[in-house]
Amino acid sequence: MKNILLSTLFGAASVILVPLTATAQQTQEPVSSTKPVSAVERDLRRFSDWVNEKVTRAEEGARREWPSVMADYDRQSARLDRATDSLSVQSRREYAAQKQRYQTWAAEQQRLDSAARQPETVAQVQSRLLGENVNINRARATELPELYARLLETTREQRRRWTAAEWSQASAVLSRLNARYEEVRTQLPTKDRLDVRSWQAEFRTLEKARDVKEIIDNR
């Protein structure tokens, strides 16, 4: 009797364990909720990355590659324009924002490119290097120290990017300052004259250092 009772109990337990084990296995199975990315969404990601890369590039590099940049934009935007209905509302907004961002950047690059093709006048060069429009031939003695200081500040900041032509322009501005200085230097106190001589020497030192570097680079 005891054996029959134990057999019955173990049999019932085994019957109960089977569905529990199956239920546990079902609970542990992962359920994937990742939505597959469509081809047009991938195109949008590539387009966004492309725009981000272009608008953060140096201006000179962008202008050198301008024809290929415009061709790339036309190709990518044409493909996305044909498939905008397949994009989500959020993606369509992102696409419109990226197009506007690129077009604003492109307009600025075209403006800079057009300006770069126009030769600067003497007055424009002088204004760029000194930070203001000034007639050096009529500058007062008291104005000269500040003009020298501005020319040297510009030279220190920009000289590593200057071409030979830009160095020639800066040297010409310095020569005009020097000519005016010789006319009015007796009206300046000793301290100002010492400052001017120091700036004159510093410019020539930087100019010679550039010449030496060019000779070494061309060997």
Side-chain angles (χ1 to χ4, degrees), residues 13-218:
S14 61
V15 171
I16 295 171
L17 284 174
V18 171
L20 284 175
T21 304
T23 303
Q25 288 176 347
Q26 290 172 2
T27 305
Q28 292 172 2
E29 288 179 0
V31 178
S32 175
S33 60
T34 303
K35 187 178 179 180
V37 179
S38 66
V40 66
E41 292 283 354
R42 287 196 296 272
D43 287 342
L44 175 58
R45 296 281 77 73
R46 282 193 290 267
F47 178 73
S48 295
D49 291 342
W50 182 86
V51 171
N52 291 337
E53 189 267 334
K54 296 304 174 190
V55 301
T56 55
R57 292 188 63 186
E59 291 169 358
E60 289 185 9
R63 290 201 296 273
R64 281 197 301 270
E65 300 176 9
W66 191 241
S68 64
V69 169
M70 289 190 294
D72 282 348
Y73 172 78
D74 290 342
R75 176 178 52 79
Q76 294 187 71
S77 61
R79 185 167 62 245
L80 284 164
D81 286 342
R82 291 192 298 267
T84 49
D85 290 343
S86 301
L87 292 171
S88 67
V89 173
Q90 182 179 352
S91 293
R92 284 199 292 271
R93 288 174 183 163
E94 179 185 348
Y95 178 48
Q98 290 287 23
K99 284 182 72 173
Q100 182 59 51
R101 189 176 174 217
Y102 168 83
Q103 289 162 1
T104 300
W105 172 82
E108 177 64 10
Q109 298 310 305
Q110 290 175 320
R111 184 190 70 77
L112 292 171
D113 186 59
S114 177
R117 295 175 186 275
Q118 299 295 325
E120 286 184 294
T121 64
V122 171
Q124 287 172 328
V125 170
Q126 193 169 282
S127 176
R128 174 168 55 81
L129 293 172
L130 300 179
E132 68 171 281
N133 293 318
V134 60
N135 185 340
I136 292 177
N137 294 332
R138 295 183 180 179
R140 295 190 297 270
T142 53
E143 294 175 326
L144 286 175
E146 178 64 21
L147 294 176
Y148 273 103
R150 289 181 183 177
L151 176 61
L152 263 295
E153 182 179 0
T154 301
T155 302
R156 294 181 194 121
E157 291 177 353
Q158 301 180 13
R159 62 190 174 87
R160 289 183 176 84
R161 302 191 301 272
W162 277 355
T163 63
E166 289 170 319
W167 271 107
S168 295
Q169 291 171 342
S171 181
V173 171
L174 179 70
S175 296
R176 288 195 289 275
L177 285 172
N178 290 344
R180 182 57 177 165
Y181 170 74
E182 290 301 323
E183 294 174 352
V184 299
R185 65 187 177 86
T186 57
Q187 301 174 30
L188 290 169
T190 301
K191 179 185 180 304
D192 286 347
R193 280 184 278 175
L194 290 173
D195 287 342
V196 167
R197 299 297 287 273
S198 174
W199 287 320
Q200 290 171 334
E202 181 181 352
F203 183 92
R204 295 307 181 193
T205 298
L206 294 174
E207 188 177 36
K208 288 178 182 177
R210 181 257 175 191
D211 292 339
V212 170
K213 182 179 183 301
E214 188 175 67
I215 291 171
I216 293 173
D217 289 346
N218 290 332

